[in-house]
Amino acid sequence: MNSVLGKVQLILEAFGPDDEHLSLTELSRRSGVAKASVHRLAQELLAWGLLERRGSDYWLGIRLFEIGQRVPRQRILRDAARPYMEDLFQATSETVHLAVPDGREVLYLEKVSGHRQAPSRVAGRMPMHCTATGKVLLAFGPRNLVEEVLASPLERRTPHTVNAPGVLLSELARAKANGFAVEYEQTRVGYASVAIPLTGATGLTTGALSITAPTFRADVDKYAGLLAMVSHRITKTISAMRSSAGVP
């Protein structure tokens, strides 16, 4: 992290999910990079559009969003899933999420919701062990990913979060047998989610699709059936789009 690129990474990653803007002093404090170096590098980042400045504070630049939209794997998965996510929302009036694995967390690529939306965000992250998307990615993903998650403390997000390795393994086995994963109030009290895996042309799990609803009106069987119905269509669409784009 002493290289120029390493310092740039620290500066950009100083922005948290809830940060719209940061001062030079805060950027230096969070990144651990000297204030003079932050100021010098920020001038270049401003010129490249990776940062923006309003008054004395810095904001993440629109150029980052533009570059992010070009990532083929995520873009194709999101574009393929989006129409079916809208169909699921129309059928349930509940929040629909598309997620991919990133380390021991799930990263949300897309979200479709109405006014009664679940508290989540695109580009947000959550631990795998307590989310329906994470559980299904673990159940249908590589064994080493499960081992990696179990090797770390299982953070308790709510009083209902599973934080015992044996219980989590039982949930993953159930998800594997059923073809979908369910979580009740493990991420946020008052909400439940159902998720299914999405596979690529090679049969490997590339992402997960979920429906999240308040527990008092969540219909697990209905959601699981609807998700299963669209998963095969999404897989076919992904294969066609990847072939057309020349993406292996």
Side-chain angles (χ1 to χ4, degrees), residues 10-48:
L10 290 171
I11 291 169
L12 295 177
E13 291 185 346
F15 289 87
D18 298 317
D19 296 319
E20 290 189 357
H21 52 87
L22 295 173
S23 67
L24 178 64
T25 300
E26 188 64 13
L27 280 174
S28 176
R29 186 188 70 80
R30 291 191 184 188
S31 66
V33 179
K35 186 182 289 189
S37 295
V38 173
H39 182 267
R40 175 176 54 82
L41 292 170
Q43 303 317 301
E44 295 190 55
L45 294 173
L46 287 167
W48 298 338

Side-chain angles (χ1 to χ4, degrees), residues 73-90:
R73 180 169 65 92
Q74 284 84 350
R75 188 190 73 244
I76 289 173
L77 178 58
R78 187 194 64 214
D79 290 351
R82 176 76 195 197
Y84 298 101
M85 294 175 69
E86 292 174 354
D87 290 343
L88 289 170
F89 173 72
Q90 291 298 322

Side-chain angles (χ1 to χ4, degrees), residues 10 29 63-64 71 98 143-144 162 168 205 213 225 230 243 248:
L10 290 171
R29 186 188 70 80
R63 183 69 171 161
L64 284 171
V71 181
L98 173 65
R143 177 65 191 182
N144 65 303
V162 168
L168 178 59
T205 300
V230 303
S243 177

Side-chain angles (χ1 to χ4, degrees), residues 154-217:
L154 302 179
E155 176 190 359
R156 181 160 257 182
R157 307 281 298 200
T158 77
H160 306 284
T161 302
V162 168
N163 65 345
V167 178
L168 178 59
L169 287 173
S170 295
E171 288 194 347
L172 299 185
R174 190 178 309 117
K176 186 83 170 177
N178 294 336
F180 62 89
V182 183
E183 68 88 1
Y184 288 97
E185 300 187 311
Q186 293 193 37
T187 300
R188 189 178 181 91
V189 172
Y191 285 88
S193 295
V194 183
I196 49 112
L198 297 175
T199 57
T202 61
L204 296 176
T205 300
T206 57
L209 196 63
S210 71
I211 298 175
T212 299
T215 51
F216 72 87
R217 64 170 181 257

Side-chain angles (χ1 to χ4, degrees), residues 111-131:
K111 172 183 177 179
V112 176
S113 61
H115 296 295
R116 303 180 303 177
Q117 58 180 298
S120 58
R121 71 183 72 194
V122 174
R125 293 172 177 271
M126 288 294 292
M128 281 193 168
H129 71 278
C130 63
T131 57

